[in-house]
Amino acid sequence: MEYRNLGKAGVKVSPICLGTMMFGGQTSEADSIRMIHQASDLGVNFIDTANMYNAGESEVVTGKGIADRRDKVVLATKGRQKMGDGPNEQGGSRAHLMKALDDSLKRLGTDYVDIYYYHAPDFSTPIDETLRALDDMVRSGRVHYIACSNFRAWRIMEALWASDRLGLDSFACVQPLYNIFNRDIEVEVLPTCREYGLGVVSYSPLAR
């Protein structure tokens, strides 16, 4: 297996990342764990989940699948999306993201995640507040690298500038939609990532 740096970060990941959106839902727990183990045995060390996938069940199943090989896995999960009906059960606020991370760690059965994605922009919350919360996650040791998903180039740049201005940890990678039917990121997002050394972990490469 070939391994490469995640953008300019030091951590090395396989070029194939195992996505787990269907785990704990359409894909049974037994099949999910079998897939995790087979991918791991073939050298895939990069696994991606999210708190919203099947209302948290994907994280539960993923946690079980990596329990005996946690230190060999670069584990990514995400927070920001709606996880309940309350006014603070979604979004980019410190209140929501801190609780979302705590809940994800419990479901995954681990005390840290390697990559924590801010799953989508929240235009009702200042980016400074979100970045300060993410920086505190890194400083606490519960997150190794922070990242973003579904960001346009201008929003990526706003976050990078804010991190630099405030002396905060900055995004190591981005996760955009990218496949033969949707190549929008080639216009601005990919050049931005190339210029600033951000890793690109595209989702839905086979257009579902």
Side-chain angles (χ1 to χ4, degrees):
M1 177 66 70
E2 168 199 0
Y3 297 95
R4 59 184 66 165
N5 284 65
L6 185 68
K8 63 183 178 182
V11 66
K12 296 187 183 297
V13 296
S14 52
I16 296 173
C17 179
L18 178 63
T20 68
M21 188 168 69
M22 299 300 173
F23 290 7
Q26 289 176 281
T27 307
S28 70
E29 179 175 310
D31 284 343
S32 300
I33 292 174
R34 179 181 56 80
M35 290 178 190
I36 291 171
H37 290 177
Q38 184 172 2
S40 177
D41 292 343
L42 291 171
V44 174
N45 75 333
F46 198 6
I47 298 179
D48 178 276
T49 186
N51 63 348
M52 69 170 291
Y53 294 167
N54 295 305
E57 286 304 307
S58 173
E59 288 184 322
V60 172
V61 172
T62 299
K64 292 179 180 179
I66 66 170
D68 65 343
R69 59 197 73 199
R70 176 66 189 94
D71 61 339
K72 297 180 180 178
V73 171
V74 178
L75 176 64
T77 193
K78 311 176 191 73
R80 179 263 183 262
Q81 306 289 29
K82 185 175 181 179
M83 293 300 290
D85 295 327
N88 292 309
E89 293 183 89
Q90 63 180 311
S93 71
R94 170 182 289 273
H96 175 66
L97 289 178
M98 288 298 188
K99 184 177 188 305
L101 176 62
D102 287 342
D103 291 345
S104 287
L105 293 176
K106 290 176 185 176
R107 285 190 291 265
L108 288 162
T110 184
D111 56 4
Y112 73 96
V113 291
D114 298 280
I115 301 165
Y116 194 68
Y117 286 98
Y118 181 32
H119 205 162
D122 172 11
F123 297 106
S124 68
T125 302
I127 192 66
D128 291 15
E129 177 180 345
T130 300
L131 291 170
R132 287 186 189 279
L134 295 173
D135 183 75
D136 285 346
M137 294 175 185
V138 174
R139 292 176 184 272
S140 71
R142 296 182 299 159
V143 170
H144 290 171
Y145 301 95
I146 60 172
C148 65
S149 182
N150 299 301
F151 270 42
R152 296 186 180 276
W154 73 266
R155 191 66 167 170
I156 295 171
M157 289 307 308
E158 179 187 41
L160 293 179
W161 288 337
S163 292
D164 184 63
R165 171 172 52 84
L166 298 170
L168 304 175
D169 204 66
S170 62
F171 293 148
C173 63
V174 304
Q175 188 176 84
L177 172 66
Y178 188 43
N179 53 58
I180 196 170
F181 297 109
N182 191 319
R183 299 170 58 185
D184 292 352
I185 67 169
E186 293 177 2
V187 180
E188 291 189 345
V189 171
L190 290 184
T192 297
C193 293
R194 184 179 302 113
E195 179 69 20
Y196 290 91
L198 299 176
V200 178
V201 186
S202 59
Y203 71 87
S204 194
L206 299 180
R208 298 189 173 88

